[in-house]
Coordinates of all heavy atoms in Angstrom, one line a residue:
M1 N 30.9 -40.8 17.0 CA 29.9 -39.7 17.1 C 30.4 -38.9 18.4 O 31.1 -39.4 19.3 CB 28.5 -40.2 17.4 CG 27.9 -40.9 16.2 SD 27.8 -39.9 14.7 CE 26.5 -38.8 15.2
T2 N 30.0 -37.6 18.4 CA 30.3 -36.8 19.6 C 29.3 -36.9 20.6 O 28.2 -36.5 20.5 CB 30.4 -35.3 19.1 OG1 29.2 -34.9 18.5 CG2 31.6 -35.1 18.1
S3 N 29.6 -37.6 21.7 CA 28.7 -37.7 22.8 C 29.1 -36.8 24.0 O 28.3 -36.6 24.8 CB 28.7 -39.2 23.2 OG 30.0 -39.6 23.6
D4 N 30.3 -36.2 23.9 CA 30.7 -35.4 25.0 C 30.4 -33.9 24.7 O 31.1 -33.3 24.1 CB 32.2 -35.6 25.3 CG 32.6 -34.7 26.4 OD1 31.8 -34.3 27.2 OD2 33.9 -34.4 26.5
L5 N 29.2 -33.5 25.0 CA 28.8 -32.2 24.8 C 28.5 -31.5 26.1 O 27.4 -31.0 26.3 CB 27.5 -32.1 23.9 CG 27.7 -32.6 22.4 CD1 26.5 -32.7 21.7 CD2 28.8 -31.8 21.7
S6 N 29.5 -31.4 26.9 CA 29.4 -30.6 28.1 C 29.4 -29.2 27.8 O 30.4 -28.5 27.9 CB 30.5 -31.0 29.1 OG 31.8 -30.7 28.4
T7 N 28.2 -28.7 27.4 CA 28.1 -27.3 26.9 C 28.1 -26.3 28.1 O 27.3 -26.5 29.0 CB 26.8 -27.1 26.2 OG1 26.7 -28.1 25.1 CG2 26.7 -25.8 25.5
P8 N 29.1 -25.4 28.1 CA 29.1 -24.4 29.1 C 27.9 -23.4 28.9 O 27.4 -23.2 27.8 CB 30.4 -23.7 28.8 CG 30.7 -23.8 27.4 CD 30.1 -25.2 27.1
A9 N 27.3 -23.0 30.0 CA 26.2 -22.1 30.0 C 26.7 -20.8 29.3 O 27.7 -20.3 29.7 CB 25.6 -21.8 31.4
A10 N 25.9 -20.4 28.3 CA 26.3 -19.1 27.6 C 25.8 -17.9 28.4 O 24.5 -17.8 28.4 CB 25.7 -19.2 26.2
P11 N 26.6 -17.1 28.9 CA 26.2 -16.0 29.7 C 25.9 -14.8 28.9 O 26.4 -13.7 29.1 CB 27.3 -15.8 30.7 CG 28.5 -16.2 29.8 CD 28.0 -17.3 28.9
D12 N 25.1 -15.0 27.8 CA 24.9 -13.8 26.9 C 23.5 -13.2 27.2 O 23.0 -12.5 26.4 CB 25.0 -14.2 25.5 CG 24.1 -15.4 25.1 OD1 23.3 -15.8 26.1 OD2 23.9 -15.8 24.0
G13 N 23.0 -13.5 28.3 CA 21.7 -12.8 28.7 C 20.5 -13.4 28.1 O 19.4 -12.8 28.2
G14 N 20.7 -14.4 27.3 CA 19.5 -14.9 26.6 C 18.6 -15.6 27.5 O 19.0 -16.4 28.3
A15 N 17.3 -15.3 27.4 CA 16.3 -15.9 28.3 C 15.5 -17.0 27.5 O 14.4 -17.3 27.9 CB 15.4 -14.8 28.8
E16 N 16.1 -17.5 26.5 CA 15.5 -18.5 25.7 C 15.4 -19.8 26.5 O 16.2 -20.2 27.3 CB 16.2 -18.8 24.4 CG 16.2 -17.5 23.5 CD 17.1 -17.7 22.3 OE1 17.6 -18.8 22.1 OE2 17.2 -16.8 21.5
S17 N 14.2 -20.4 26.4 CA 14.0 -21.6 27.1 C 14.6 -22.9 26.4 O 14.7 -23.9 27.0 CB 12.5 -21.9 27.4 OG 11.8 -21.9 26.1
G18 N 14.9 -22.7 25.1 CA 15.4 -23.8 24.4 C 16.8 -24.2 24.8 O 17.6 -23.4 25.2
A19 N 17.0 -25.6 24.9 CA 18.3 -26.1 25.3 C 19.2 -25.9 24.1 O 18.8 -25.8 23.0 CB 18.1 -27.5 25.5
V20 N 20.5 -25.8 24.4 CA 21.6 -25.7 23.4 C 22.0 -27.1 23.0 O 22.4 -27.9 23.8 CB 22.8 -24.9 24.0 CG1 23.9 -24.9 22.9 CG2 22.4 -23.6 24.4
L21 N 21.8 -27.3 21.7 CA 22.1 -28.6 21.2 C 23.2 -28.5 20.1 O 23.7 -27.3 20.0 CB 20.8 -29.3 20.6 CG 19.6 -29.4 21.5 CD1 18.4 -29.7 20.7 CD2 19.9 -30.4 22.6
D22 N 23.4 -29.5 19.3 CA 24.4 -29.3 18.3 C 23.6 -29.1 16.9 O 22.4 -29.1 16.9 CB 25.4 -30.5 18.2 CG 24.7 -31.8 17.8 OD1 23.6 -31.8 17.2 OD2 25.3 -32.9 18.1
G23 N 24.4 -28.8 15.9 CA 23.8 -28.4 14.7 C 22.9 -29.5 14.0 O 22.0 -29.2 13.3
N24 N 23.2 -30.7 14.4 CA 22.3 -31.8 13.8 C 20.9 -31.6 14.2 O 19.9 -32.0 13.5 CB 22.8 -33.2 14.3 CG 24.1 -33.5 13.7 OD1 24.3 -33.4 12.5 ND2 25.1 -33.9 14.6
A25 N 20.7 -31.1 15.5 CA 19.3 -30.8 15.9 C 18.6 -29.8 15.1 O 17.3 -29.8 15.0 CB 19.3 -30.4 17.4
A26 N 19.3 -28.9 14.5 CA 18.7 -27.8 13.6 C 18.6 -28.2 12.2 O 18.1 -27.5 11.3 CB 19.6 -26.5 13.8
A27 N 19.1 -29.4 11.8 CA 19.2 -29.8 10.4 C 17.8 -29.8 9.8 O 17.7 -29.3 8.6 CB 19.9 -31.2 10.2
G28 N 16.8 -30.2 10.4 CA 15.5 -30.2 9.9 C 15.0 -28.9 9.4 O 14.4 -28.8 8.3
D29 N 15.3 -27.9 10.2 CA 14.8 -26.6 9.9 C 15.5 -26.0 8.6 O 14.9 -25.2 8.0 CB 15.0 -25.6 11.1 CG 14.0 -25.9 12.2 OD1 12.9 -26.4 11.9 OD2 14.4 -25.7 13.3
F30 N 16.7 -26.4 8.5 CA 17.5 -25.8 7.3 C 17.2 -26.7 6.1 O 17.4 -26.3 5.0 CB 19.0 -25.8 7.7 CG 19.3 -24.6 8.5 CD1 19.2 -24.6 9.9 CD2 19.8 -23.4 7.9 CE1 19.4 -23.5 10.7 CE2 20.0 -22.3 8.7 CZ 19.9 -22.4 10.2
A31 N 17.0 -28.0 6.3 CA 16.8 -28.9 5.1 C 15.7 -28.5 4.2 O 15.7 -28.7 3.1 CB 16.6 -30.3 5.7
G32 N 14.7 -27.8 4.8 CA 13.5 -27.4 4.0 C 13.9 -26.2 3.1 O 13.2 -25.8 2.2
I33 N 15.1 -25.5 3.4 CA 15.4 -24.3 2.6 C 16.6 -24.6 1.7 O 16.6 -24.2 0.6 CB 15.9 -23.3 3.7 CG1 14.7 -22.9 4.6 CG2 16.3 -22.0 2.9 CD1 15.1 -22.0 5.8
L34 N 17.6 -25.3 2.2 CA 18.8 -25.6 1.5 C 18.5 -26.8 0.5 O 17.6 -27.6 0.8 CB 19.9 -26.0 2.4 CG 20.3 -24.9 3.4 CD1 21.4 -25.5 4.3 CD2 20.7 -23.6 2.8
A35 N 19.2 -26.8 -0.6 CA 18.9 -27.8 -1.6 C 19.6 -29.1 -1.3 O 19.4 -30.1 -2.0 CB 19.3 -27.2 -3.0
S36 N 20.5 -29.1 -0.3 CA 21.2 -30.3 0.0 C 21.1 -30.6 1.5 O 20.6 -29.7 2.3 CB 22.6 -30.2 -0.5 OG 23.3 -29.1 0.2
D37 N 21.6 -31.7 1.9 CA 21.6 -32.1 3.4 C 22.5 -31.1 4.1 O 23.7 -31.1 3.9 CB 22.1 -33.5 3.5 CG 22.1 -34.0 4.9 OD1 21.7 -33.2 5.8 OD2 22.5 -35.2 5.1
P38 N 21.9 -30.3 5.1 CA 22.7 -29.3 5.8 C 23.8 -30.0 6.6 O 24.8 -29.3 6.9 CB 21.7 -28.6 6.7 CG 20.5 -29.5 6.7 CD 20.5 -30.3 5.5
T39 N 23.7 -31.2 7.0 CA 24.7 -31.8 7.8 C 26.0 -32.1 7.1 O 27.0 -32.5 7.7 CB 24.2 -33.1 8.5 OG1 23.8 -34.0 7.5 CG2 23.0 -32.8 9.4
T40 N 26.0 -32.0 5.7 CA 27.1 -32.2 5.0 C 27.9 -30.9 4.7 O 28.9 -30.8 4.0 CB 26.8 -32.9 3.6 OG1 26.0 -31.9 2.8 CG2 26.1 -34.2 3.8
V41 N 27.3 -29.7 5.2 CA 27.9 -28.4 4.9 C 28.9 -28.0 5.9 O 28.8 -28.3 7.1 CB 26.7 -27.4 4.9 CG1 27.3 -26.0 4.7 CG2 25.7 -27.7 3.8
T42 N 30.0 -27.3 5.4 CA 30.9 -26.7 6.3 C 30.7 -25.3 6.3 O 30.6 -24.6 5.2 CB 32.3 -27.0 5.8 OG1 32.6 -28.5 5.8 CG2 33.4 -26.4 6.6
V43 N 30.6 -24.7 7.5 CA 30.3 -23.3 7.6 C 31.5 -22.5 8.2 O 32.1 -23.0 9.1 CB 29.1 -23.1 8.5 CG1 28.7 -21.6 8.7 CG2 27.9 -23.9 8.0
R44 N 31.8 -21.4 7.7 CA 32.8 -20.5 8.2 C 32.2 -19.4 9.0 O 31.4 -18.6 8.4 CB 33.7 -20.0 7.0 CG 34.7 -19.0 7.6 CD 35.8 -18.6 6.5 NE 36.6 -19.8 6.2 CZ 37.5 -19.9 5.3 NH1 37.8 -18.8 4.6 NH2 38.1 -21.0 5.0
C45 N 32.7 -19.2 10.2 CA 32.1 -18.2 11.0 C 32.6 -16.8 10.5 O 33.8 -16.6 10.2 CB 32.6 -18.4 12.5 SG 32.2 -17.1 13.6
G46 N 31.6 -15.9 10.4 CA 32.0 -14.6 10.0 C 32.7 -13.7 11.0 O 33.2 -12.6 10.7
S47 N 32.7 -14.2 12.2 CA 33.2 -13.4 13.3 C 34.7 -13.8 13.6 O 35.6 -13.0 13.6 CB 32.4 -13.6 14.6 OG 33.0 -12.8 15.7
C48 N 35.0 -15.1 13.8 CA 36.3 -15.5 14.1 C 37.0 -16.3 12.9 O 38.2 -16.5 13.0 CB 36.3 -16.4 15.3 SG 35.6 -18.0 15.1
G49 N 36.2 -16.6 11.9 CA 36.8 -17.2 10.7 C 37.0 -18.7 10.8 O 37.5 -19.3 9.9
S50 N 36.7 -19.3 11.9 CA 36.9 -20.8 12.0 C 35.9 -21.5 11.2 O 34.7 -21.0 11.0 CB 36.8 -21.2 13.5 OG 35.5 -21.1 13.9
T51 N 36.2 -22.6 10.7 CA 35.3 -23.5 9.9 C 34.9 -24.6 10.7 O 35.7 -25.2 11.3 CB 36.0 -24.0 8.6 OG1 37.2 -24.6 8.9 CG2 36.3 -22.8 7.6
Q52 N 33.6 -24.9 10.6 CA 33.1 -26.0 11.4 C 32.0 -26.7 10.6 O 31.3 -26.1 9.8 CB 32.4 -25.5 12.7 CG 33.4 -24.9 13.7 CD 32.7 -23.8 14.6 OE1 32.1 -24.1 15.6 NE2 32.8 -22.6 14.1
A53 N 31.9 -28.0 10.8 CA 30.8 -28.8 10.2 C 29.5 -28.3 10.8 O 29.5 -27.9 11.9 CB 31.0 -30.2 10.4
F54 N 28.5 -28.3 10.0 CA 27.2 -27.8 10.4 C 26.8 -28.5 11.7 O 26.3 -27.8 12.6 CB 26.1 -28.1 9.3 CG 24.7 -27.6 9.6 CD1 24.3 -26.4 9.2 CD2 23.9 -28.4 10.4 CE1 23.1 -26.0 9.4 CE2 22.6 -27.9 10.6 CZ 22.2 -26.7 10.1
G55 N 27.0 -29.7 11.8 CA 26.7 -30.5 13.0 C 27.4 -30.2 14.3 O 27.1 -30.6 15.4
Q56 N 28.5 -29.5 14.1 CA 29.4 -29.1 15.2 C 28.9 -27.7 15.8 O 29.5 -27.3 16.9 CB 30.9 -29.0 14.8 CG 31.4 -30.4 14.5 CD 32.9 -30.4 14.0 OE1 33.3 -29.3 13.4 NE2 33.6 -31.4 14.3
L57 N 28.2 -27.0 15.1 CA 27.7 -25.7 15.6 C 26.8 -25.9 16.8 O 26.1 -26.9 16.9 CB 27.0 -24.9 14.5 CG 27.8 -24.6 13.2 CD1 26.8 -24.2 12.1 CD2 28.8 -23.6 13.6
S58 N 26.7 -24.9 17.6 CA 25.8 -24.9 18.7 C 24.4 -24.5 18.2 O 24.3 -23.5 17.5 CB 26.2 -23.9 19.8 OG 27.4 -24.3 20.4
A59 N 23.4 -25.2 18.6 CA 22.1 -24.9 18.1 C 21.1 -24.6 19.2 O 21.1 -25.3 20.2 CB 21.5 -26.1 17.3
C60 N 20.4 -23.5 19.1 CA 19.4 -23.2 20.1 C 18.0 -23.2 19.5 O 17.7 -22.5 18.6 CB 19.7 -21.7 20.6 SG 21.2 -21.5 21.5
L61 N 17.3 -24.3 19.9 CA 15.9 -24.4 19.4 C 14.9 -24.0 20.4 O 15.3 -23.7 21.6 CB 15.7 -25.9 19.1 CG 16.8 -26.7 18.3 CD1 16.4 -28.1 18.1 CD2 17.0 -26.0 17.0
G62 N 13.8 -23.8 20.0 CA 12.6 -23.5 21.0 C 12.4 -22.1 21.1 O 11.4 -21.7 21.7
G63 N 13.2 -21.2 20.6 CA 13.0 -19.8 20.7 C 12.0 -19.4 19.5 O 11.4 -20.2 18.9
P64 N 12.0 -18.1 19.2 CA 11.2 -17.7 18.0 C 11.8 -18.2 16.7 O 11.2 -18.1 15.7 CB 11.3 -16.1 18.1 CG 12.5 -15.9 19.0 CD 12.7 -17.0 19.9
G65 N 13.0 -18.6 16.7 CA 13.7 -19.2 15.5 C 14.7 -20.2 16.0 O 15.0 -20.4 17.2
T66 N 15.3 -20.8 15.0 CA 16.5 -21.7 15.3 C 17.8 -20.9 15.1 O 18.0 -20.4 14.0 CB 16.4 -23.0 14.4 OG1 15.2 -23.6 14.7 CG2 17.6 -23.9 14.7
V67 N 18.6 -20.9 16.1 CA 19.9 -20.1 16.0 C 21.0 -21.1 16.1 O 21.1 -22.0 16.9 CB 19.9 -19.1 17.1 CG1 21.3 -18.4 17.1 CG2 18.8 -18.2 17.1
L68 N 22.0 -20.9 15.1 CA 23.2 -21.7 15.2 C 24.3 -20.7 15.6 O 24.5 -19.6 15.1 CB 23.5 -22.3 13.8 CG 22.6 -23.3 13.3 CD1 22.9 -23.7 11.9 CD2 22.7 -24.6 14.2
R69 N 25.1 -21.2 16.5 CA 26.2 -20.4 17.0 C 27.6 -21.1 16.9 O 27.7 -22.3 16.9 CB 26.0 -20.1 18.5 CG 24.9 -19.2 18.8 CD 24.9 -18.7 20.3 NE 23.7 -17.9 20.5 CZ 23.8 -16.5 20.3 NH1 24.9 -16.0 19.9 NH2 22.8 -15.8 20.5
C70 N 28.6 -20.3 16.7 CA 29.9 -20.8 16.5 C 30.4 -21.4 17.8 O 30.2 -20.9 18.9 CB 30.9 -19.6 16.1 SG 32.6 -20.1 16.0
R71 N 31.1 -22.6 17.7 CA 31.6 -23.2 18.9 C 32.8 -22.5 19.5 O 33.2 -22.6 20.6 CB 32.0 -24.7 18.6 CG 30.7 -25.6 18.5 CD 30.6 -26.5 19.7 NE 29.5 -27.4 19.6 CZ 28.6 -27.6 20.6 NH1 28.7 -27.0 21.7 NH2 27.6 -28.4 20.4
Q72 N 33.5 -21.7 18.6 CA 34.8 -21.1 19.0 C 34.5 -19.8 19.7 O 35.1 -19.5 20.7 CB 35.7 -20.9 17.8 CG 36.0 -22.1 17.0 CD 36.8 -23.1 17.9 OE1 37.7 -22.7 18.6 NE2 36.5 -24.4 17.8
C73 N 33.6 -19.0 19.1 CA 33.5 -17.5 19.6 C 32.0 -17.3 20.1 O 31.8 -16.3 20.6 CB 33.9 -16.5 18.6 SG 32.9 -16.4 17.2
E74 N 31.2 -18.3 19.9 CA 29.7 -18.2 20.3 C 29.0 -17.1 19.5 O 27.9 -16.7 19.9 CB 29.6 -18.0 21.8 CG 30.2 -19.2 22.6 CD 29.8 -19.0 24.1 OE1 29.3 -18.0 24.5 OE2 30.2 -19.9 24.8
A75 N 29.5 -16.6 18.4 CA 28.8 -15.7 17.6 C 27.6 -16.4 16.9 O 27.7 -17.6 16.6 CB 29.7 -15.0 16.6
M76 N 26.6 -15.6 16.6 CA 25.5 -16.2 15.8 C 26.0 -16.4 14.4 O 26.4 -15.4 13.8 CB 24.3 -15.3 15.8 CG 23.0 -15.9 15.4 SD 22.8 -15.8 13.6 CE 22.6 -14.0 13.4
V77 N 25.8 -17.6 13.9 CA 26.3 -17.9 12.5 C 25.1 -17.9 11.5 O 25.3 -17.4 10.4 CB 27.1 -19.3 12.5 CG1 27.3 -19.7 11.1 CG2 28.3 -19.2 13.3
A78 N 24.0 -18.5 11.9 CA 22.9 -18.6 11.0 C 21.6 -18.7 11.9 O 21.7 -19.1 13.1 CB 23.0 -19.8 10.2
R79 N 20.5 -18.3 11.3 CA 19.3 -18.3 12.0 C 18.2 -18.5 11.0 O 18.2 -18.0 9.9 CB 19.0 -17.0 12.7 CG 17.8 -16.8 13.4 CD 17.7 -15.5 14.2 NE 18.1 -14.4 13.4 CZ 18.4 -13.2 14.0 NH1 18.3 -13.0 15.2 NH2 18.8 -12.2 13.2
V80 N 17.2 -19.3 11.3 CA 16.0 -19.5 10.5 C 14.8 -19.4 11.4 O 14.7 -19.8 12.5 CB 16.1 -20.9 9.7 CG1 16.1 -22.1 10.8 CG2 14.9 -21.0 8.8
A81 N 13.9 -18.6 10.9 CA 12.6 -18.4 11.7 C 11.4 -18.5 10.8 O 11.4 -17.9 9.6 CB 12.6 -17.0 12.3
K82 N 10.5 -19.2 11.2 CA 9.2 -19.4 10.3 C 8.1 -18.5 10.9 O 7.8 -18.5 12.1 CB 8.8 -20.8 10.4 CG 9.7 -21.7 9.6 CD 9.4 -23.2 9.6 CE 10.4 -23.9 8.8 NZ 10.6 -25.4 9.2
T83 N 7.6 -17.6 10.1 CA 6.6 -16.7 10.4 C 5.4 -16.8 9.5 O 5.5 -17.4 8.5 CB 7.1 -15.2 10.3 OG1 7.3 -14.9 8.9 CG2 8.5 -15.1 11.0
P84 N 4.3 -16.2 9.8 CA 3.2 -16.2 8.9 C 3.5 -15.7 7.6 O 2.8 -16.0 6.5 CB 2.1 -15.4 9.6 CG 2.5 -15.5 11.1 CD 3.9 -15.6 11.1
Q85 N 4.5 -14.8 7.5 CA 4.8 -14.2 6.2 C 5.7 -15.1 5.4 O 5.8 -14.9 4.2 CB 5.6 -12.9 6.4 CG 4.7 -11.7 6.9 CD 4.4 -11.8 8.4 OE1 5.3 -12.2 9.1 NE2 3.3 -11.4 8.8
G86 N 6.3 -16.0 6.0 CA 7.3 -17.0 5.3 C 8.4 -17.3 6.2 O 8.4 -17.1 7.4
T87 N 9.4 -17.9 5.6 CA 10.6 -18.4 6.4 C 11.8 -17.4 6.2 O 12.1 -17.1 5.1 CB 11.0 -19.8 5.9 OG1 9.9 -20.7 6.1 CG2 12.2 -20.3 6.7
W88 N 12.3 -16.9 7.3 CA 13.4 -16.0 7.2 C 14.7 -16.8 7.4 O 14.8 -17.6 8.3 CB 13.3 -14.9 8.4 CG 12.2 -14.0 8.2 CD1 11.0 -14.1 8.7 CD2 12.3 -12.7 7.6 NE1 10.2 -13.1 8.3 CE2 11.0 -12.1 7.7 CE3 13.2 -12.0 6.9 CZ2 10.7 -10.9 7.1 CZ3 12.9 -10.8 6.4 CH2 11.7 -10.2 6.5
L89 N 15.6 -16.5 6.5 CA 17.0 -17.2 6.7 C 18.0 -16.1 6.8 O 18.2 -15.3 5.9 CB 17.3 -18.0 5.4 CG 18.6 -18.7 5.4 CD1 18.8 -19.7 6.5 CD2 18.8 -19.4 4.1
D90 N 18.7 -16.1 8.0 CA 19.6 -15.1 8.2 C 21.0 -15.7 8.3 O 21.3 -16.5 9.2 CB 19.3 -14.3 9.5 CG 20.4 -13.3 10.0 OD1 21.3 -13.2 9.2 OD2 20.1 -12.6 11.0
L91 N 21.9 -15.5 7.4 CA 23.2 -16.0 7.3 C 24.3 -14.9 7.6 O 25.4 -15.1 7.2 CB 23.5 -16.7 5.9 CG 22.5 -17.8 5.6 CD1 22.8 -18.4 4.2 CD2 22.5 -18.9 6.6
S92 N 23.9 -13.9 8.1 CA 24.8 -12.7 8.2 C 26.0 -12.9 9.1 O 27.0 -12.3 9.0 CB 24.0 -11.4 8.6 OG 23.4 -11.7 10.0
G93 N 25.9 -14.0 10.0 CA 27.0 -14.2 10.9 C 28.0 -15.2 10.3 O 29.0 -15.5 11.0
S94 N 27.8 -15.6 9.1 CA 28.7 -16.6 8.5 C 29.4 -15.9 7.2 O 28.8 -15.1 6.6 CB 28.0 -17.8 8.1 OG 27.0 -17.6 7.1
S95 N 30.6 -16.3 7.0 CA 31.2 -15.7 5.8 C 31.1 -16.6 4.6 O 31.1 -16.1 3.4 CB 32.7 -15.4 6.1 OG 33.4 -16.6 6.3
S96 N 31.0 -17.9 4.8 CA 30.8 -18.8 3.6 C 30.3 -20.2 4.1 O 30.4 -20.6 5.2 CB 32.2 -19.0 2.9 OG 33.1 -19.6 3.7
W97 N 29.6 -20.8 3.1 CA 29.1 -22.2 3.4 C 29.7 -23.1 2.3 O 29.5 -22.7 1.1 CB 27.6 -22.2 3.3 CG 26.9 -21.5 4.5 CD1 27.1 -20.3 5.0 CD2 25.9 -22.1 5.3 NE1 26.3 -20.1 6.0 CE2 25.5 -21.1 6.3 CE3 25.2 -23.3 5.3 CZ2 24.5 -21.3 7.2 CZ3 24.2 -23.5 6.2 CH2 23.9 -22.5 7.2
L98 N 30.2 -24.1 2.6 CA 30.8 -25.1 1.6 C 29.9 -26.3 1.5 O 29.6 -27.0 2.4 CB 32.2 -25.6 2.0 CG 32.8 -26.7 1.2 CD1 33.0 -26.2 -0.3 CD2 34.1 -27.1 1.8
F99 N 29.3 -26.4 0.3 CA 28.4 -27.6 -0.1 C 29.2 -28.6 -0.8 O 29.7 -28.3 -1.9 CB 27.2 -27.0 -0.8 CG 26.3 -26.1 -0.1 CD1 26.6 -24.8 -0.1 CD2 25.2 -26.6 0.6 CE1 25.8 -23.9 0.7 CE2 24.3 -25.8 1.2 CZ 24.6 -24.5 1.3
L100 N 29.3 -29.7 -0.3 CA 30.1 -30.8 -1.0 C 29.3 -31.3 -2.2 O 28.0 -31.2 -2.2 CB 30.4 -32.0 -0.1 CG 31.2 -31.7 1.1 CD1 31.3 -32.9 2.1 CD2 32.6 -31.1 0.7
P101 N 29.9 -31.8 -3.3 CA 29.1 -32.3 -4.4 C 28.4 -33.5 -3.9 O 28.8 -34.3 -3.1 CB 30.2 -32.6 -5.4 CG 31.5 -32.7 -4.6 CD 31.3 -31.8 -3.4
A102 N 27.2 -33.6 -4.5 CA 26.3 -34.7 -4.1 C 27.1 -36.1 -4.6 O 27.6 -36.1 -5.7 CB 25.0 -34.7 -4.8
P103 N 27.0 -37.1 -3.7 CA 27.7 -38.3 -4.1 C 26.9 -39.0 -5.3 O 25.7 -39.0 -5.3 CB 27.6 -39.2 -2.9 CG 26.4 -38.6 -2.1 CD 26.4 -37.1 -2.4
G104 N 27.6 -39.4 -6.3 CA 27.0 -40.0 -7.4 C 26.6 -41.5 -7.1 O 26.9 -42.0 -6.0
P105 N 25.8 -42.0 -8.0 CA 25.4 -43.4 -7.8 C 26.7 -44.4 -7.8 O 27.5 -44.2 -8.7 CB 24.5 -43.7 -9.0 CG 24.8 -42.7 -10.0 CD 25.4 -41.5 -9.3
A106 N 26.8 -45.2 -6.8 CA 27.9 -46.0 -6.7 C 28.0 -47.2 -7.6 O 27.4 -47.6 -8.3 CB 28.0 -46.6 -5.3
Ligands
ZN1 ZN1 33.4 -17.9 15.5

């Protein structure tokens, strides 16, 4: 497991109080939307094109929504926000998501 997450402070002017975690921390918010376990997904950043496992993305919780950021370029890759109108899913920062086939019964 990745235990060394010496995350540099992101000087992007964000005043969010939520700590920056990894994508696994955001899995619960996405699991209710996606049909499969988000931690098995590989996401390609729409900004720099790097591919990262969902769990390797930087996750900002505690704001108005859950934001996932690219570890390479810190661009926003995905965002989910729950509002009284419903749940917003913004994937505009990613170019593709790879869902692995569900493992069959062994
Ligand atoms: Zn990127």
Side-chain angles (χ1 to χ4, degrees):
M1 295 301 288
T2 57
S3 59
D4 179 22
L5 291 176
S6 55
T7 306
D12 58 357
E16 297 174 358
S17 59
V20 176
L21 305 169
D22 66 25
N24 292 308
D29 287 332
F30 283 83
I33 302 169
L34 304 175
S36 62
D37 180 359
T39 60
T40 65
V41 174
T42 299
V43 182
R44 175 169 296 176
C45 174
S47 180
C48 72
S50 71
T51 55
Q52 293 151 88
F54 184 95
Q56 293 177 328
L57 298 167
S58 297
C60 295
L61 310 182
T66 297
V67 176
L68 291 173
R69 290 187 181 276
C70 175
R71 283 255 183 227
Q72 300 299 318
C73 71
E74 297 188 357
M76 192 277 291
V77 173
R79 175 173 50 189
V80 63
K82 291 176 178 157
T83 72
Q85 289 80 32
T87 300
W88 293 88
L89 178 61
D90 178 357
L91 303 178
S92 63
S94 59
S95 61
S96 63
W97 289 51
L98 173 64
F99 294 84
L100 298 177

